[in-house]
Amino acid sequence: WLSTLQASCALIVTAFSGVRIGEAVSFEKGSYTTVLSHDSKQIPVLNGETTKGEGGKPRQATWQAHPIVKDTLELAYDMTEALRDHYKAKIKLMYESEEMTVDAYEKACKEVVGVFIPVDKETQAVSYTGRGFDRKFADLMKSYDIRATEEDVEEFNKLNPNREGELKVGGYLPKLSPHDMRRTFAVFYKRYNFGSMMGIKFQYKHKNLNMSEYYANQAQQKNWLKKYLNL
Protein backbone atom coordinates (compact mmCIF):
# COMPACT_ATOMS: atom_id res chain seq x y z
CA TRP A 1 0.00 0.00 0.00
CA LEU A 2 2.84 2.40 0.83
CA SER A 3 4.51 1.54 -2.47
CA THR A 4 1.36 2.42 -4.41
CA LEU A 5 0.92 5.69 -2.54
CA GLN A 6 4.59 6.57 -2.98
CA ALA A 7 4.36 5.90 -6.73
CA SER A 8 1.34 8.21 -6.91
CA CYS A 9 3.32 10.95 -5.16
CA ALA A 10 6.30 10.47 -7.47
CA LEU A 11 4.02 10.63 -10.52
CA ILE A 12 2.58 13.96 -9.36
CA VAL A 13 5.99 15.44 -8.59
CA THR A 14 7.46 14.46 -11.97
CA ALA A 15 4.34 15.38 -13.95
CA PHE A 16 4.00 18.84 -12.39
CA SER A 17 7.66 19.83 -12.50
CA GLY A 18 9.27 17.78 -15.28
CA VAL A 19 12.16 16.70 -13.06
CA ARG A 20 14.03 13.46 -13.66
CA ILE A 21 13.35 10.74 -11.12
CA GLY A 22 17.02 10.95 -10.12
CA GLU A 23 16.39 14.59 -9.23
CA ALA A 24 13.08 13.89 -7.50
CA VAL A 25 14.72 11.50 -5.03
CA SER A 26 16.91 14.38 -3.82
CA PHE A 27 13.85 16.30 -2.60
CA GLU A 28 13.16 16.69 1.09
CA LYS A 29 10.00 17.73 2.89
CA GLY A 30 11.03 21.38 2.75
CA SER A 31 12.23 21.39 -0.85
CA TYR A 32 9.12 23.27 -1.97
CA THR A 33 9.17 27.03 -1.58
CA THR A 34 8.03 30.16 -3.42
CA VAL A 35 9.93 33.07 -4.90
CA LEU A 36 8.67 36.53 -5.80
CA SER A 37 8.58 37.35 -9.50
CA HIS A 38 9.34 40.74 -11.02
CA ASP A 39 5.59 41.48 -11.06
CA SER A 40 5.16 40.45 -7.39
CA LYS A 41 3.64 37.02 -8.06
CA GLN A 42 4.49 34.01 -5.91
CA ILE A 43 6.21 31.39 -8.09
CA PRO A 44 6.34 27.83 -6.66
CA VAL A 45 9.77 26.23 -7.01
CA LEU A 46 11.56 23.06 -5.97
CA ASN A 47 15.10 22.96 -4.58
CA GLY A 48 17.16 19.82 -5.02
CA GLU A 49 20.16 18.31 -6.75
CA THR A 50 20.91 17.47 -10.36
CA THR A 51 23.90 15.78 -11.97
CA LYS A 52 22.96 16.82 -15.50
CA GLY A 53 25.84 18.42 -17.34
CA GLU A 54 28.22 18.27 -14.41
CA GLY A 55 30.05 15.05 -15.19
CA GLY A 56 27.91 13.13 -12.74
CA LYS A 57 28.70 15.47 -9.85
CA PRO A 58 25.63 16.66 -7.93
CA ARG A 59 24.92 20.36 -7.73
CA GLN A 60 22.10 22.40 -6.26
CA ALA A 61 19.33 23.36 -8.68
CA THR A 62 15.81 24.78 -8.76
CA TRP A 63 12.75 23.97 -10.86
CA GLN A 64 9.44 25.71 -11.40
CA ALA A 65 6.58 23.58 -10.09
CA HIS A 66 2.87 23.53 -9.29
CA PRO A 67 1.49 24.20 -5.77
CA ILE A 68 0.11 20.65 -5.60
CA VAL A 69 3.71 19.44 -5.25
CA LYS A 70 3.95 20.97 -1.76
CA ASP A 71 1.20 18.73 -0.33
CA THR A 72 2.57 15.77 -2.29
CA LEU A 73 6.06 16.06 -0.80
CA GLU A 74 4.66 16.44 2.69
CA LEU A 75 2.48 13.35 2.28
CA ALA A 76 5.32 11.28 0.82
CA TYR A 77 7.57 12.28 3.71
CA ASP A 78 5.10 11.90 6.57
CA MET A 79 3.78 8.50 5.49
CA THR A 80 7.29 7.03 5.72
CA GLU A 81 8.31 8.64 9.03
CA ALA A 82 8.27 5.34 10.94
CA LEU A 83 10.48 3.74 8.29
CA ARG A 84 12.79 6.75 8.37
CA ASP A 85 13.25 6.35 12.13
CA HIS A 86 14.04 2.67 11.59
CA TYR A 87 16.63 3.48 8.91
CA LYS A 88 18.26 6.20 11.03
CA ALA A 89 18.68 3.75 13.91
CA LYS A 90 20.11 1.16 11.51
CA ILE A 91 22.57 3.65 10.02
CA LYS A 92 23.73 4.78 13.45
CA LEU A 93 24.24 1.20 14.63
CA MET A 94 26.20 0.25 11.50
CA TYR A 95 28.43 3.28 11.86
CA GLU A 96 29.08 2.72 15.56
CA SER A 97 29.93 -0.93 14.91
CA GLU A 98 32.29 0.18 12.11
CA GLU A 99 30.30 -1.67 9.46
CA MET A 100 30.02 1.63 7.62
CA THR A 101 32.74 4.08 6.59
CA VAL A 102 32.52 7.79 7.30
CA ASP A 103 31.74 8.53 3.64
CA ALA A 104 29.05 5.85 3.52
CA TYR A 105 27.59 7.13 6.79
CA GLU A 106 27.38 10.72 5.54
CA LYS A 107 25.83 9.57 2.26
CA ALA A 108 23.23 7.46 4.09
CA CYS A 109 22.36 10.30 6.48
CA LYS A 110 21.78 12.56 3.48
CA GLU A 111 19.63 10.04 1.59
CA VAL A 112 17.43 9.04 4.52
CA VAL A 113 16.01 12.54 4.98
CA GLY A 114 14.73 12.46 1.41
CA VAL A 115 11.05 12.17 0.56
CA PHE A 116 11.31 9.02 -1.56
CA ILE A 117 13.01 6.41 0.62
CA PRO A 118 12.62 2.61 0.19
CA VAL A 119 9.23 1.55 1.53
CA ASP A 120 10.17 -2.07 2.25
CA LYS A 121 12.78 -2.37 4.98
CA GLU A 122 13.20 -6.08 4.26
CA THR A 123 14.51 -5.44 0.74
CA GLN A 124 16.38 -2.18 1.43
CA ALA A 125 20.00 -2.72 0.48
CA VAL A 126 22.82 -0.15 0.26
CA SER A 127 20.98 2.97 -0.89
CA TYR A 128 18.31 4.78 1.09
CA THR A 129 16.60 6.27 -1.96
CA GLY A 130 13.61 4.59 -3.59
CA ARG A 131 14.01 2.63 -6.82
CA GLY A 132 11.96 0.88 -9.49
CA PHE A 133 9.61 3.75 -10.31
CA ASP A 134 9.25 2.65 -13.95
CA ARG A 135 7.63 -0.57 -12.79
CA LYS A 136 5.66 1.22 -10.08
CA PHE A 137 4.20 3.69 -12.57
CA ALA A 138 3.10 0.89 -14.88
CA ASP A 139 1.54 -0.98 -11.94
CA LEU A 140 -0.19 2.20 -10.83
CA MET A 141 -1.79 2.67 -14.24
CA LYS A 142 -3.13 -0.88 -14.15
CA SER A 143 -4.43 -0.47 -10.60
CA TYR A 144 -6.65 2.37 -11.88
CA ASP A 145 -7.68 0.13 -14.79
CA ILE A 146 -7.08 2.88 -17.34
CA ARG A 147 -7.47 1.32 -20.78
CA ALA A 148 -6.99 2.69 -24.27
CA THR A 149 -9.85 3.86 -26.44
CA GLU A 150 -9.87 3.86 -30.25
CA GLU A 151 -8.90 7.54 -30.15
CA ASP A 152 -6.00 6.73 -27.83
CA VAL A 153 -4.70 4.01 -30.15
CA GLU A 154 -4.97 6.29 -33.18
CA GLU A 155 -3.06 9.03 -31.37
CA PHE A 156 -0.43 6.60 -30.06
CA ASN A 157 0.26 5.27 -33.56
CA LYS A 158 0.52 8.83 -34.92
CA LEU A 159 2.97 9.96 -32.24
CA ASN A 160 4.94 6.69 -32.23
CA PRO A 161 5.04 5.42 -35.84
CA ASN A 162 7.89 3.03 -35.02
CA ARG A 163 5.76 1.41 -32.33
CA GLU A 164 2.50 1.14 -34.24
CA GLY A 165 0.43 -1.81 -33.07
CA GLU A 166 1.88 -1.98 -29.56
CA LEU A 167 -1.20 -0.37 -28.03
CA LYS A 168 -4.52 -2.15 -28.46
CA VAL A 169 -8.07 -0.91 -27.85
CA GLY A 170 -8.96 -1.93 -24.31
CA GLY A 171 -5.31 -2.46 -23.41
CA TYR A 172 -2.80 -0.59 -21.28
CA LEU A 173 0.03 1.67 -22.34
CA PRO A 174 3.11 -0.41 -23.19
CA LYS A 175 4.86 1.58 -20.49
CA LEU A 176 4.41 4.63 -18.27
CA SER A 177 7.69 5.90 -16.89
CA PRO A 178 8.87 8.98 -14.98
CA HIS A 179 10.42 10.24 -18.23
CA ASP A 180 7.01 10.12 -19.90
CA MET A 181 5.81 12.53 -17.21
CA ARG A 182 8.78 14.75 -18.06
CA ARG A 183 7.65 14.97 -21.69
CA THR A 184 4.08 15.62 -20.55
CA PHE A 185 5.13 18.57 -18.40
CA ALA A 186 7.00 20.07 -21.38
CA VAL A 187 3.76 19.98 -23.37
CA PHE A 188 1.83 21.77 -20.61
CA TYR A 189 4.66 24.25 -20.05
CA LYS A 190 4.76 25.36 -23.68
CA ARG A 191 1.11 24.95 -24.62
CA TYR A 192 -0.22 27.03 -21.74
CA ASN A 193 2.49 29.67 -22.05
CA PHE A 194 4.25 29.09 -18.74
CA GLY A 195 7.46 30.14 -20.46
CA SER A 196 9.59 30.16 -23.59
CA MET A 197 11.97 27.58 -25.00
CA MET A 198 14.66 29.17 -22.85
CA GLY A 199 12.41 28.40 -19.91
CA ILE A 200 12.36 24.73 -20.89
CA LYS A 201 16.15 24.83 -21.23
CA PHE A 202 16.43 26.11 -17.66
CA GLN A 203 13.73 23.82 -16.30
CA TYR A 204 15.25 20.69 -17.83
CA LYS A 205 18.89 21.71 -17.26
CA HIS A 206 19.77 21.27 -20.94
CA LYS A 207 23.18 22.38 -22.16
CA ASN A 208 21.91 23.48 -25.58
CA LEU A 209 18.65 24.53 -27.20
CA ASN A 210 18.46 21.56 -29.57
CA MET A 211 17.16 19.23 -26.88
CA SER A 212 14.87 21.94 -25.51
CA GLU A 213 13.45 22.44 -29.00
CA TYR A 214 12.71 18.72 -29.22
CA TYR A 215 10.63 18.87 -26.04
CA ALA A 216 8.94 22.12 -27.08
CA ASN A 217 7.90 20.64 -30.41
CA GLN A 218 5.87 18.01 -28.60
CA ALA A 219 3.58 20.84 -27.51
CA GLN A 220 2.28 21.06 -31.07
CA GLN A 221 0.79 17.58 -30.75
CA LYS A 222 -2.12 16.37 -28.69
CA ASN A 223 -1.11 15.09 -25.27
CA TRP A 224 -3.38 12.11 -24.68
CA LEU A 225 -1.62 11.29 -21.40
CA LYS A 226 -3.53 14.20 -19.91
CA LYS A 227 -6.25 11.80 -18.73
CA TYR A 228 -3.75 10.16 -16.37
CA LEU A 229 -3.19 13.48 -14.62
CA ASN A 230 -6.90 14.07 -14.11
CA LEU A 231 -7.39 11.14 -11.72
Side-chain angles (χ1 to χ4, degrees):
W1 183 85
L2 277 179
S3 181
T4 299
L5 189 54
Q6 185 184 67
S8 300
C9 291
L11 187 148
I12 291 172
V13 170
T14 53
F16 287 96
S17 68
V19 299
R20 301 173 180 83
I21 195 64
E23 296 162 342
V25 296
S26 75
F27 295 152
E28 302 176 7
K29 187 176 182 179
S31 288
Y32 176 95
T33 187
T34 59
V35 296
L36 202 62
S37 69
H38 67 280
D39 54 354
S40 300
K41 292 182 179 179
Q42 293 291 334
I43 306 298
V45 298
L46 288 166
N47 299 294
E49 288 186 346
T50 184
T51 58
K52 184 67 176 178
E54 298 296 322
K57 296 180 179 179
R59 63 179 174 86
Q60 291 295 310
T62 60
W63 297 264
Q64 187 175 340
H66 185 283
I68 194 175
V69 174
K70 179 179 185 292
D71 292 338
T72 305
L73 292 180
E74 291 176 354
L75 171 61
Y77 185 92
D78 291 344
M79 74 181 193
T80 51
E81 190 63 10
L83 272 171
R84 191 169 287 101
D85 290 342
H86 167 79
Y87 290 145
K88 287 180 178 179
K90 177 183 176 182
I91 293 167
K92 181 180 179 182
L93 181 62
M94 291 181 68
Y95 179 65
E96 290 176 345
S97 63
E98 299 184 349
E99 296 179 57
M100 185 178 282
T101 65
V102 174
D103 288 345
Y105 172 74
E106 292 177 350
K107 180 175 181 290
C109 288
K110 181 180 179 181
E111 291 176 342
V112 79
V113 297
V115 166
F116 298 111
I117 62 174
V119 293
D120 186 353
K121 65 182 181 181
E122 303 303 325
T123 59
Q124 184 276 326
V126 178
S127 174
Y128 289 90
T129 56
R131 298 175 180 274
F133 284 100
D134 282 63
R135 174 184 55 78
K136 290 178 181 180
F137 276 24
D139 291 345
L140 185 66
M141 177 180 62
K142 291 181 179 179
S143 72
Y144 283 120
D145 198 32
I146 301 174
R147 298 176 183 272
T149 64
E150 288 187 18
E151 183 183 6
D152 292 333
V153 172
E154 180 182 350
E155 195 68 22
F156 179 87
N157 292 337
K158 181 174 71 175
L159 298 179
N160 305 276
N162 61 325
R163 301 177 65 189
E164 184 172 352
E166 288 187 26
L167 182 64
K168 308 292 185 183
V169 174
Y172 299 107
L173 276 174
K175 71 178 184 68
L176 182 61
S177 70
H179 209 78
D180 292 321
M181 296 298 99
R182 182 174 172 82
R183 295 188 182 97
T184 297
F185 180 82
V187 171
F188 288 142
Y189 190 91
K190 192 71 168 62
R191 180 173 291 172
Y192 298 110
N193 298 316
F194 291 139
S196 64
M197 193 180 303
M198 287 300 295
I200 292 181
K201 182 176 182 294
F202 168 81
Q203 184 79 4
Y204 285 14
K205 313 308 179 220
H206 292 151
K207 281 295 184 180
N208 59 68
L209 280 175
N210 291 334
M211 184 59 70
S212 304
E213 185 176 11
Y214 167 77
Y215 278 93
N217 286 340
Q218 305 306 305
Q220 307 307 316
Q221 300 172 323
K222 177 184 173 184
N223 175 32
W224 72 279
L225 278 176
K226 182 177 179 181
K227 66 168 68 177
Y228 295 92
L229 304 182
N230 289 333
L231 292 173

